Amino acid sequence: MTDNTAIAFATAIAQGSLRVVDLTFTLSPDMPVIVLPPEFGQSSPVRIQQISRYDENGPGWYWNNITVGEHTGTHFDAPVHWYTGKDLPNNAVDTLPVEHMIAPACVIDCSAQAAADPDFLLTRAFVEDWEKSHGRILAGHWVLLRTDWSKLGPRDFANLREDGAHTPGPDSNVMEWLVNERDILGFGTETIGTDAGQGSHFAPPHPAHHFLHGAGRYGLQCLRNLDQLPPTGAILITTPLKILNGSGSPLRVLGVAPS
């Protein structure tokens, strides 16, 4: 790395040879949140309470109180979020290595498959076929599952039925393989969770959470605009809020890609 690499990066963004793509949903009361079985605790929906807006409560300023769960909207999962990562060092959002917050990404397009089948599962064979066209997934990369699920309206986003959610995601084998054989930094999706909607029935249950967080890796959910990133060559900026011992955090995810 030369002394002017950082300045060259910023200049490329300013001059447009690199473009910045916002991969984040607006955090609003309309944002769907994950719904667990009623015997478990539930995440708070987004609440925005106005404190003042240039009025008698504050004549010169506008601000709000917000209430939000750690895993609401576009959000980050830290290893401590899952029992498999609970005993790892530096496993919360306030202690994870900051150098992990800027990393390269691969985008695997499964949008056609997800449109045909909301329960589509990413498999090792699918990824290995993707690698034949785009090259081997390198260690330290994010793997992002493009399904175009983010283009659905709020009512269809969770796709809840009597037997739970029906949304695309990875199967158990591919998650274990991506973590152990490809050494990925994390896995991101356009759906509410990193796991498929029916992932509680897999072995192990919720394999994305199980394997990622057990190995000290990360998750991103409720991403959007993945169709604006190339299969390889983009960089993700993922900086969660520095919450004391936080299991996760809403965040603004930015993708940087060649124009």
Side-chain angles (χ1 to χ4, degrees):
M1 178 179 291
T2 60
D3 291 342
N4 65 353
T5 299
I7 293 176
F9 179 75
T11 301
I13 291 175
Q15 294 180 346
S17 57
L18 289 175
R19 57 192 174 89
V20 180
V21 181
D22 191 350
L23 305 179
T24 317
F25 274 97
T26 298
L27 204 57
S28 75
D30 295 329
M31 188 69 206
V33 298
I34 194 167
V35 177
L36 299 180
E39 63 268 25
F40 298 126
Q42 304 295 321
S43 178
S44 171
V46 178
R47 296 186 179 93
I48 302 175
Q49 177 191 29
Q50 182 175 295
I51 302 172
S52 69
R53 191 171 184 129
Y54 329 116
D55 53 24
E56 65 276 7
N57 294 317
W61 52 91
Y62 163 59
W63 58 338
N64 301 305
N65 286 321
I66 61 170
T67 302
V68 62
E70 290 178 326
H71 300 268
T72 301
T74 303
H75 65 277
F76 185 100
D77 284 357
V80 75
H81 175 49
W82 209 248
Y83 76 97
T84 53
K86 66 184 180 64
D87 295 321
L88 297 176
N90 302 321
N91 61 357
V93 291
D94 60 327
T95 57
L96 63 88
V98 293
E99 57 268 23
H100 288 177
M101 298 180 191
I102 303 176
C106 299
V107 181
I108 299 178
D109 184 1
C110 304
S111 56
Q113 291 78 7
D117 179 10
D119 290 313
F120 167 77
L121 296 180
L122 181 71
T123 64
R124 176 176 172 175
F126 193 102
V127 179
E128 288 180 326
D129 190 55
W130 180 92
E131 288 184 322
K132 292 176 183 177
S133 299
H134 303 290
R136 181 185 173 99
I137 296 170
L138 300 178
H141 278 56
W142 283 96
V143 170
L144 307 180
L145 184 64
R146 178 192 160 191
T147 58
D148 288 351
W149 206 258
S150 59
K151 298 179 181 181
L152 298 176
R155 186 176 65 178
D156 299 322
F157 194 76
N159 202 24
L160 288 172
R161 303 177 190 171
E162 290 184 0
D163 59 346
H166 288 264
T167 55
D171 73 9
S172 297
N173 179 262
V174 75
M175 283 313 310
E176 185 175 20
W177 178 76
L178 285 170
V179 169
N180 294 332
E181 301 299 327
R182 292 297 182 263
D183 196 20
I184 64 171
L185 180 70
F187 186 77
T189 65
E190 297 183 62
T191 53
I192 289 178
T194 49
D195 278 293
Q198 292 290 297
S200 61
H201 303 297
F202 297 176
H206 307 287
H209 286 75
H210 182 95
F211 291 113
L212 286 170
H213 304 319
R217 314 302 164 81
Y218 314 122
L220 290 171
Q221 291 91 172
C222 297
L223 297 171
R224 63 196 302 260
N225 295 329
L226 292 185
D227 56 344
Q228 297 182 32
L229 296 183
T232 62
I235 293 172
L236 288 195
I237 301 173
T238 58
T239 52
L241 297 173
K242 197 173 182 179
I243 302 168
L244 179 64
N245 201 36
S247 71
S249 163
L251 77 170
R252 192 155 193 171
V253 181
L254 302 178
V256 182
S259 293

